């Protein structure tokens, strides 16, 4: 009798189990996260607009962990972050602090499909997401004393960076988003600097035209220089919107220019290298810059190439002109 009862109970249990595993049936299987790799852990998420999202794999694939606003004690939710990718929500920037020797936040924006592969072994300590503002600077040209067309020939480098002054008086660089109407790669490590003029030497091809003006008198230049028929020379930097309102944004200019010189069409004092004595770095508060402004004057010095027919030093002063533009040039 006991054998019959056990057989009946076994059959009943077997049928009940099979019924539970039929297609469409609801299963209630408990998995052990320590031994079952298929378990899906609960990851943070948010519906806020000021978010930053991390993905388990490159190219924004795999599981997603989404955070918002401030994350003072960040812990990477994925066991192996080597291939983690990242997105900052549109219209925002993210300050990310790492466990490196500097301890300064780095500003990120946009889609970073290979985020952690570019970081190496650095560990994220904290994150802050804030609304993004824009700083747009156009290149207006150069003004100098013009005695001959050779005086209009310039070469060298002009670079621009934008910085934010933090509450502790530390300065950090802000990323470039657009250069001459070209969207930059958010993952490019050198996207903190905009080169607006770069002509290596006097014989280098220079596509710019009509960018040198007489400084007698010093002009107010209101139109940016063009490098093509449809694009002006200008750069858009992403900054903390609140830092703009609080006048904590600065612009840093790097000027290293050389020029040619000739005092007249028939003169013998041609010089191919009238140059600045040293590269100049100038940092100015963005709020104090006018819509049309210039920096300088800078002094360039040289001597004639032909010292037999001409002698004496050559001195040349010049200014570099910029335009604060909005929207993007």
């Amino acid at each position: 009798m006991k054998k019959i009862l056990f057989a009946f109970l076994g059959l009943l249990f077997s049928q009940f189990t099979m019924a539970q595993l039929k297609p469409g049936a609801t299963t209630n299987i408990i998995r052990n996260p320590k031994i079952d790799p298929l378990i899906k852990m609960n990851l943070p998420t948010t519906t806020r607009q000021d978010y930053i999202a991390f993905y388990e794999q490159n190219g924004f694939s795999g599981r997603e962990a989404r955070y918002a606003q401030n994350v003072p004690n960040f812990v990477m939710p994925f066991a192996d972050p080597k291939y983690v990718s990242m997105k900052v929500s549109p219209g925002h920037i993210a300050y990310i602090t790492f466990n490196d020797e500097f301890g300064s936040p780095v500003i990120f924006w946009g889609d970073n499909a290979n985020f952690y592969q570019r970081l190496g072994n650095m560990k994220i300590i904290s994150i802050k997401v804030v609304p993004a503002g824009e700083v747009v600077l156009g290149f207006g040209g150069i003004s100098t004393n013009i005695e001959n067309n050779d005086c209009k020939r310039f070469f060298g480098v002009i670079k621009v960076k934008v910085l934010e002054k933090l509450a502790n008086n530390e300065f950090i660089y802000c990323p470039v988003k657009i250069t001459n109407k070209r969207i930059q790669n958010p993952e490019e490590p050198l996207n903190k600097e905009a080169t607006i003029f770069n002509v290596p030497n006097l014989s280098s091809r220079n596509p710019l035209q009509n960018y040198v003006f007489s400084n007698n008198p010093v002009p107010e230049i209101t139109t940016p220089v063009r490098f093509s028929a449809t694009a002006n020379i200008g750069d858009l930097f992403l900054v903390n919107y609140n830092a703009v309102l609080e006048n904590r944004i600065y612009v840093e200019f790097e000027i290293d220019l050389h020029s040619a010189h000739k005092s007249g069409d028939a003169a013998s004092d041609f010089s191919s290298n009238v140059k600045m004595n040293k590269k100049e770095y100038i940092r100015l508060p963005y709020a104090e810059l006018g819509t049309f402004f210039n920096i300088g004057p800078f002094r360039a010095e040289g001597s004639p190439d032909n010292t037999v027919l001409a002698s004496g030093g050559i001195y040349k002063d010049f200014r570099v002109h910029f335009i604060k533009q909005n929207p993007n040039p």
Side-chain angles (χ1 to χ4, degrees):
M1 188 67 182
K2 287 184 179 181
K3 291 183 179 180
I4 296 175
L5 179 59
F6 287 141
F8 175 77
L9 292 175
L11 179 61
L12 183 63
F13 178 79
S14 176
Q15 289 178 342
F16 175 80
T17 303
M18 292 299 294
Q20 295 299 306
L21 298 179
K22 286 181 180 180
T26 301
T27 59
N28 190 26
I29 301 175
I30 299 175
R31 300 186 186 275
N32 186 336
K34 294 183 179 180
I35 62 175
D36 191 342
L38 298 178
I39 186 170
K40 292 186 176 181
M41 306 295 291
N42 291 326
L43 295 175
T45 188
T46 180
T47 58
R48 291 180 60 108
Q49 296 300 309
D50 52 348
Y51 70 83
I52 183 171
F54 294 93
Y55 300 83
E56 198 168 14
Q57 299 294 327
N58 288 344
F60 319 112
S61 61
R63 296 179 297 162
E64 177 192 24
R66 183 174 293 204
Y67 306 81
Q69 200 173 26
N70 294 329
V71 189
N73 299 297
F74 179 81
V75 177
M76 178 57 68
F78 306 117
D80 183 6
K82 182 178 180 181
Y83 299 106
V84 163
S85 51
M86 180 271 287
K87 287 184 180 182
V88 180
S89 58
H92 294 82
I93 57 175
Y95 297 79
I96 301 181
T97 304
F98 301 95
N99 66 334
D100 57 14
E101 59 181 309
F102 305 106
S104 301
V106 179
I107 298 177
F108 288 85
W109 65 280
D111 297 352
N112 293 253
N114 304 284
F115 177 68
Y116 235 93
Q117 282 189 298
R118 291 177 177 265
L119 294 178
N121 295 322
M122 288 197 295
K123 180 182 177 182
I124 298 175
I125 301 299
S126 64
I127 300 171
K128 181 173 71 172
V129 182
V130 301
E134 296 179 352
V135 165
V136 185
L137 294 170
F139 176 46
I142 300 169
S143 64
T144 188
N145 49 305
I146 299 176
E147 299 158 322
N148 175 271
N149 281 334
D150 283 310
C151 300
K152 297 180 180 180
R153 300 167 65 187
F154 273 82
F155 59 102
V157 176
I158 303 173
K159 296 180 179 180
V160 177
K161 296 178 181 179
V162 173
L163 306 92
E164 177 186 345
K165 187 177 183 179
L166 303 178
N168 62 358
N169 293 324
E170 179 184 1
F171 286 90
I172 61 171
Y173 288 106
C174 304
V176 183
K177 182 179 180 180
I178 300 175
T179 297
N180 302 333
K181 289 194 177 292
R182 294 191 295 268
I183 297 287
Q184 302 300 292
N185 179 3
E187 296 185 290
E188 172 55 49
L190 299 179
N191 72 346
K192 304 293 190 297
E193 177 180 86
T195 300
I196 64 171
F197 184 86
N198 185 15
V199 180
N201 52 62
L202 197 61
S203 60
S204 300
R205 179 181 177 274
N206 184 355
L208 304 183
Q209 297 179 355
N210 302 321
Y211 70 96
V212 181
F213 305 89
S214 172
N215 66 356
N216 187 23
V218 176
E220 180 181 74
I221 300 175
T222 60
T223 304
V225 177
R226 290 183 177 273
F227 71 90
S228 73
T230 59
N232 302 334
I233 298 180
D235 305 283
L236 186 151
F237 295 80
L238 289 177
V239 299
N240 182 335
Y241 177 77
N242 292 322
V244 177
L245 299 180
E246 297 164 3
N247 298 332
R248 294 189 288 108
I249 297 298
Y250 289 73
V251 183
E252 184 176 276
F253 303 91
E254 176 184 328
I255 311 293
D256 186 15
L257 288 177
H258 306 209
S259 178
H261 165 82
K262 196 174 185 181
S263 59
D265 292 341
S268 61
D269 62 346
F270 172 76
S271 176
S272 61
N273 194 8
V274 183
K275 63 181 181 177
M276 297 170 58
N277 289 328
K278 64 177 182 177
K279 186 183 302 184
E280 295 282 353
Y281 294 92
I282 298 175
R283 183 178 293 179
L284 299 171
Y286 177 74
E288 297 179 11
L289 300 175
T291 303
F292 314 110
F293 68 95
N294 67 78
I295 56 174
F298 303 100
R299 170 61 60 95
E301 300 179 9
S303 56
D305 289 4
N306 190 333
T307 56
V308 175
L309 298 176
S311 62
I314 297 171
Y315 302 93
K316 189 171 186 176
D317 293 327
F318 62 89
R319 290 174 168 84
V320 183
H321 295 254
F322 295 90
I323 302 168
K324 287 169 69 172
Q325 297 175 318
N326 196 10
N328 178 47

